[in-house]
Amino acid sequence: QVQLVESGGGLVQAGGSLRLSCVASGSIFNINGMGWHRHAPGKQRELVARITSGGSTNYANSVKGRFTISRDNAKNTVYLQMNSLKPEDTAVYYCAADIIGPGYVLPHWGKGTLVTVSS
């Protein structure tokens, strides 16, 4: 059993910063890509940022230059540093990871953490 647990969400004023963390635990041999998605009310879930096991990153155009994704492979943890936050960044943020376990490689998701940006 693998669990992904996010933390770091909350309420922040526009222009502020937050740092999200996501820790993967359980039967894990290794982790390929890790990423953050978000789901805002009335919108489709979208990919925010993704990082490979080797550290290559890609970002949604809407967050480039403001958000930074990083990971600590030794801790099975991925981070999302969010700066210059805007009200349109308000959403539930979900962590995702491609987990290599005993006999499988499967995507796993966290339950999400709410980020609210006030104007």
Side-chain angles (χ1 to χ4, degrees), residues 30-103:
N30 210 339
I31 303 177
N32 285 338
M34 303 183 80
W36 292 92
H37 294 68
R38 67 186 180 187
H39 192 186
K43 297 184 179 179
Q44 289 188 334
R45 184 178 294 196
E46 64 171 342
L47 173 66
V48 176
R50 185 168 173 81
I51 184 167
T52 68
S53 56
S56 298
T57 59
N58 65 283
Y59 297 90
N61 288 334
S62 57
V63 307
K64 281 181 182 177
R66 300 188 297 121
F67 291 10
T68 302
I69 189 171
S70 61
R71 63 189 286 174
D72 185 333
N73 292 330
K75 296 181 179 180
N76 289 339
T77 300
V78 63
Y79 306 96
L80 186 68
Q81 178 66 44
M82 305 186 294
N83 299 328
S84 302
L85 282 161
K86 304 176 181 180
E88 51 264 43
D89 294 318
T90 294
V92 177
Y93 284 70
Y94 296 90
C95 170
D98 296 325
I99 304 293
I100 303 171

Side-chain angles (χ1 to χ4, degrees), residues 4 12-13 16 20-21 23-24 28 35 39 57-60 63-65 67 72 92 101 105 108 117:
L4 273 62
V12 64
Q13 287 189 330
L20 305 183
S21 300
V23 180
I28 299 172
H39 192 186
T57 59
N58 65 283
Y59 297 90
V63 307
K64 281 181 182 177
F67 291 10
D72 185 333
V92 177
V105 180
H108 286 73
V117 184

